Amino acid sequence: MTKIKICGLKRQEDIQYVNEALPDFAGFVIQVSFSRRSITAEELYKLRSRLSEKISPVGVFVNAPVELPAKLLREGILDMAQLHGQEDDEYIKRLKEETGRPVMKAFSVSAPEDIQRAFSSSADLILLDHGRGGTGKSFDWNLVKGEKNGGRPYFLAGGITPEKIPQAVRRLNPYGIDLSSAVETEGKKDRRKILAAVAAVRSGIL
């Protein structure tokens, strides 16, 4: 079954919403200055302490010193690191070796070569998105539909609303769906949309 990740949590209310909906993963944007969803490591500790043990916490980083995600992974505050910058295979290798935890690498998709580059990554999981991430826009799914990915698991992100989830799962059968702005209203996480998104993935229908 396709998994679901709700990303960009930053308020206590957001934690309440995901604890009710129980997605597979919860994403926290950590110390990313240009993101309105960014939180500090200290805020992460507080939010993580309230997160259901049934949900796997993921830290989203952009060109962070490797020591930051490594520390949070070793401490068990995070189960996985998600990288959205120019982190190379050497960075990924070091992070995996130092922590024994999985690493996901995000790729911006606009051409077939972007898909090929993503599938050749040394990361445990890859995330296919449009632009920087969190833009609410989707890329051309035909770019990935015809590609041979060698069975590589990937998350699909970008412009996927709860209403589009069944179509995305039927067409591409991704390992997971990643949502952020699609489950927000006026820039804040929306309980109703989160519940609808998780229900759509679990049931395959709305």
Side-chain angles (χ1 to χ4, degrees):
M1 177 183 288
T2 297
K3 300 183 182 300
I4 181 168
K5 175 173 166 284
I6 304 297
C7 200
L9 307 180
K10 64 179 299 182
R11 304 178 302 155
Q12 295 293 346
E13 295 96 321
D14 301 343
I15 301 300
Q16 294 171 14
Y17 301 159
V18 295
N19 283 348
E20 181 180 358
L22 291 179
D24 301 282
F25 302 91
F28 301 91
V29 180
I30 303 168
Q31 296 181 193
V32 179
S33 60
F34 60 79
S35 174
R36 63 179 173 82
R37 303 180 181 91
S38 180
I39 61 174
T40 65
E42 290 72 23
E43 290 172 318
L44 171 66
Y45 285 106
K46 294 177 183 178
L47 294 172
R48 172 67 174 85
S49 69
R50 297 176 178 269
L51 185 70
S52 169
E53 291 301 317
K54 297 179 181 180
I55 305 172
S56 181
V58 179
V60 178
F61 302 90
V62 179
N63 299 326
V66 71
E67 292 79 11
L68 176 60
K71 178 177 183 291
L72 295 170
L73 289 166
R74 283 196 301 263
E75 292 177 348
I77 302 301
L78 299 174
D79 288 346
M80 178 165 57
Q82 179 176 326
L83 309 177
H84 273 259
Q86 284 72 53
E87 302 90 355
D88 58 15
D89 280 349
E90 185 60 34
Y91 183 109
I92 294 170
K93 178 183 178 182
R94 179 180 169 189
L95 191 54
K96 291 166 65 173
E97 288 179 347
E98 289 188 9
T99 68
R101 298 279 189 168
V103 174
M104 175 159 51
K105 182 73 174 78
F107 291 86
S108 176
V109 176
S110 59
E113 52 265 31
D114 297 325
I115 299 292
Q116 295 164 9
R117 183 166 54 91
F119 288 159
S120 65
S121 170
S122 63
D124 300 281
L125 287 166
I126 54 178
L127 182 143
L128 306 179
D129 201 353
H130 176 286
R132 264 184 164 177
T135 64
K137 297 179 180 179
S138 60
F139 64 89
D140 182 2
W141 291 353
N142 289 322
L143 291 173
V144 66
K145 188 176 181 182
E147 279 291 329
K148 297 184 183 301
N149 65 6
R152 288 221 57 180
Y154 67 90
F155 273 82
L156 184 66
I160 307 172
T161 62
E163 293 77 15
K164 289 183 179 178
I165 287 174
Q167 178 190 3
V169 172
R170 283 196 303 270
R171 284 187 61 184
L172 301 176
N173 190 30
Y175 172 82
I177 299 286
D178 189 293
L179 303 177
S180 187
S181 58
V183 289
E184 293 178 349
T185 298
E186 297 181 352
K188 295 180 180 179
K189 290 294 183 282
D190 185 306
R191 173 183 175 273
R192 181 187 61 81
K193 291 180 180 179
I194 289 174
L195 289 170
V198 174
V201 168
R202 298 283 187 257
S203 66
I205 59 175
L206 291 171

